[in-house]
């Protein structure tokens, strides 16, 4: 099933539009064009940046900046690595489970607002309340519970939001859409670090600010980008076995999906094993007494690299009709960037690495997202399958603190770099067996 690649905004829905949308939900796969968005592709392209900002500023500010600072301030310097390891590992484990479950619930949702909008709103509202709870948590158990709830609830918003691309964006615009989505993601993550560092003196105020911002932005996204009603789509009967298979996509039946997942898992694990410890690397490896003074500068340096790569690579991949060469190059560049601070343990080297890794990671975010959308098996399970894909992004947040914490305790902070290099390079080679995408 195909539609025009650049539809004009629609003002009124015809019965045929709803029928076409229902048929797409029932029969299509990720490599087929979806029905034209109700308000047009251009509006969707414009709104995906602020929508991703609403979520990823939280992921940039809290786990990398505000949460380590909160743990250090409340529980002391002596056990800060261990305490952060406990909090982030438990939270990321539940986050890993939440997004595929949220995706499956979203896929099965029937409402006049569509399958995604209700959960984007509910997730952002509940996530904001969880952030407020984290602000007032005064024990390690309380911090663990609150941060876990933050992870779960915002993944109930993020999972359905990620399904907007295969739901509504034509194939020949997905590189551009993924680039804009990647800009929102990375600007959000890095902007979150910068803005989060401004709240180091008032962590609770930072949590509340991010909660309100996310809720407002995601609500506006829903209002200005309405979706097709899903009330006429007949839901499949619920089966426990199908629910348990939520976390599994057969690598024999869907090998392209498997290799795309593996490549993302390897790169993210390598990248976050190093950058996830930036706060402690600055203080304990590079000897920076006041990391809050340099983190904004590092964020801007990384942002420059990411924007350059993202703006160029997404549209170029659309023009050439190729995804794999861009993803391969991005993983290699990211891995090589980690060599610099490993052989030259200096803040200047970290700044150079930050820019080069920004180039690599920006290219990856722009093109890999489009590649992923084109290897999804069925429109019936877009959000669920993307939730499984995003395990490749969230699982490293579970594995990386545990693995990296053990490496630091055994070999020191320098031991993080060779691990990150090897995993990133392996991630590059994982994309070549994919056959459905060039």
């Amino acid at each position: 099933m195909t539609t025009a690649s650049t539809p004009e905004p629609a003002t009124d829905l015809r019965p045929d539009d709803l029928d076409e949308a229902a048929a797409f939900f029932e029969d299509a796969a990720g490599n087929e064009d979806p029905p034209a968005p109700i308000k047009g592709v251009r509006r969707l392209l414009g709104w995906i940046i602020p929508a991703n900002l609403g979520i990823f500023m939280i992921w940039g500010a809290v786990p990398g900046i505000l949460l380590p600072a909160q743990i250090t301030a409340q529980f002391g310097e002596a056990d800060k690595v261990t305490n952060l390891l406990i909090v982030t590992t438990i939270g990321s484990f539940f986050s890993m489970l939440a997004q595929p479950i949220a995706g499956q619930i979203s896929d099965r949702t029937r409402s006049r607002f569509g399958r995604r909008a209700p959960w984007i709103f509910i997730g952002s509202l509940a996530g904001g309340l969880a952030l407020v709870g984290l602000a007032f948590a005064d024990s390690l158990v309380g911090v663990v519970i609150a941060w876990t709830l933050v992870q779960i609830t915002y993944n109930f918003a993020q999972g359905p939001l990620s399904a907007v691309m295969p739901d509504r964006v034509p194939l020949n615009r997905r590189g551009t859409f993924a680039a804009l989505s990647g800009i929102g993601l990375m600007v959000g993550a890095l902007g979150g670090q910068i803005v989060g560092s401004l709240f180091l003196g008032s962590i609770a105020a930072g949590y509340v600010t991010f909660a309100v911002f996310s809720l407002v932005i995601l609500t506006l996204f829903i209002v200005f980008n309405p979706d097709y009603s899903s009330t006429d789509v007949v839901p499949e009967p619920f089966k426990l076995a199908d629910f348990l298979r939520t976390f599994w996509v057969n690598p024999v039946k869907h090998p392209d999906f498997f290799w795309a997942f593996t490549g993302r898992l390897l790169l993210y694990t390598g990248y976050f094993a190093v950058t996830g410890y930036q706060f402690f690397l600055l203080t304990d490896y590079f000897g920076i007494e006041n990391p809050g003074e340099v983190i904004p500068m590092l964020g801007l340096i990384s942002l420059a690299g990411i924007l350059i790569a993202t703006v160029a690579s997404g549209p170029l991949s659309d023009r050439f009709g190729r995804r794999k060469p861009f993803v391969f190059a991005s993983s290699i560049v990211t891995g090589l960037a980690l060599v610099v601070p490993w052989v030259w343990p200096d803040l200047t080297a970290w700044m150079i690495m930050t820019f080069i890794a920004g180039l690599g990671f920006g290219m990856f975010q722009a093109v890999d997202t489009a590649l992923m959308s084109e290897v999804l098996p069925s429109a019936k399970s877009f959000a669920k399958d993307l939730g499984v894909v995003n395990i490749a992004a969230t699982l490293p947040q579970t594995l990386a603190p545990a693995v990296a914490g053990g490496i630091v305790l055994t070999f020191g902070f320098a031991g993080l770099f060779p691990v990150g290099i090897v995993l990133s390079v392996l991630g590059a080679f994982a994309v070549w067996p994919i056959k459905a995408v060039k």
Side-chain angles (χ1 to χ4, degrees):
M1 165 187 316
T2 59
T3 64
S5 59
T6 56
E8 293 300 319
T11 55
D12 297 297
L13 286 178
R14 298 173 291 112
D16 287 349
D17 295 329
L18 297 177
D19 291 342
E20 185 180 8
F24 178 81
F25 296 156
E26 291 290 339
D27 301 324
N31 59 354
E32 299 180 53
D33 279 325
I38 294 173
K39 295 297 183 180
V41 173
R42 290 187 182 90
R43 179 180 290 194
L44 204 58
L45 291 172
W47 269 97
I48 194 59
I49 294 178
N52 273 343
L53 281 174
I55 293 178
F56 284 93
M57 284 190 73
I58 293 168
W59 299 145
V62 181
I65 305 297
L66 296 180
L67 190 60
Q70 179 182 7
I71 288 173
T72 301
Q74 289 185 337
F75 310 117
E77 290 277 347
D79 298 318
K80 63 182 181 181
V81 173
T82 301
N83 288 335
L84 182 63
L85 174 63
I86 292 170
V87 173
T88 56
T89 300
I90 294 174
S92 296
F93 173 76
F94 282 96
S95 171
M96 179 184 67
L97 300 178
Q99 199 162 132
I101 294 174
Q104 185 169 91
I105 293 172
S106 172
D107 288 328
R108 297 175 62 85
T109 295
R110 302 294 178 258
S111 80
R112 68 187 185 92
F113 302 106
R115 299 186 293 174
R116 316 304 180 195
W119 295 106
I120 293 174
F121 176 77
I122 291 170
S124 60
L125 176 61
L129 295 175
L131 269 179
V132 174
L134 180 61
F136 294 100
D138 58 3
S139 68
L140 186 61
V141 172
V143 171
V144 168
I145 293 173
W147 176 238
T148 299
L149 290 174
V150 170
Q151 294 269 65
I152 292 171
T153 50
Y154 277 114
N155 272 291
F156 264 79
Q158 184 179 332
L161 181 64
S162 68
V164 166
M165 181 190 292
D167 275 355
R168 309 191 207 177
V169 181
L171 294 173
N172 67 352
R173 301 297 296 276
R174 288 189 186 177
T176 301
F177 184 87
L180 295 172
S181 179
I183 289 173
L185 186 158
M186 297 308 297
V187 171
L190 294 169
Q193 292 181 17
I194 296 170
V195 176
S197 67
L198 302 179
F199 285 100
L200 286 173
S202 181
I203 294 172
Y207 288 152
V208 173
T209 299
F210 286 115
V212 172
F213 176 76
S214 178
L215 179 60
V216 170
I217 290 296
L218 290 173
T219 300
L220 290 174
F221 174 84
I222 294 168
V223 170
F224 285 100
N225 296 276
D227 197 3
Y228 291 95
S229 169
S230 60
T231 54
D232 293 334
V233 180
V234 179
E236 296 182 343
F238 177 81
K239 297 179 181 179
L240 180 60
D242 291 338
F243 175 78
L244 295 177
R245 284 195 292 268
T246 290
F247 305 98
W248 172 254
V249 175
N250 191 324
V252 176
K253 188 176 180 181
H254 304 290
D256 288 345
F257 188 90
F258 167 77
W259 285 113
F261 176 91
T262 301
R264 177 177 284 197
L265 176 67
L266 290 168
L267 176 66
Y268 269 71
T269 302
Y271 182 78
F272 284 109
V274 179
T275 60
Y277 270 72
Q278 174 174 265
F279 190 86
F280 293 151
L281 281 168
L282 290 173
T283 57
D284 295 14
Y285 187 65
F286 298 119
I288 305 299
E289 293 184 2
N290 298 306
E293 296 179 358
V294 300
I295 287 173
M297 177 181 62
L298 292 169
L300 291 173
I301 292 171
S302 183
L303 180 59
I306 286 169
L307 289 178
I308 292 170
T310 301
V311 169
S313 57
L316 282 175
S317 74
D318 280 344
R319 172 176 290 186
F320 295 122
R322 302 180 71 87
R323 313 293 189 199
K324 291 197 295 186
F326 290 91
V327 176
F328 180 86
S330 68
S331 299
I332 293 292
V333 169
T334 302
L336 292 178
L338 298 176
V339 174
V340 180
W342 183 31
V343 300
W344 180 21
D346 184 82
L347 179 60
T348 302
W350 185 256
M351 293 166 64
I352 295 172
M353 183 282 295
T354 297
F355 178 75
I356 298 174
L359 291 172
F361 214 69
M363 185 187 302
F364 183 86
Q365 286 291 351
V367 183
D368 183 70
T369 304
L371 182 151
M372 284 290 188
S373 75
E374 294 174 25
V375 298
L376 297 175
S378 171
K380 294 179 181 179
S381 58
F382 276 165
K384 185 270 287 186
D385 291 335
L386 283 170
V388 174
V389 165
N390 284 326
I391 289 178
T394 54
L395 183 59
Q397 297 177 54
T398 303
L399 295 176
V403 174
I407 291 171
V408 169
L409 293 174
T410 305
F411 301 104
F413 286 100
L416 294 174
F417 297 105
V419 173
I421 293 165
V422 170
L423 292 176
S424 298
V425 172
L426 288 176
F429 286 95
V431 303
W432 286 119
I434 296 174
K435 296 179 180 179
V437 180
K438 294 181 180 180

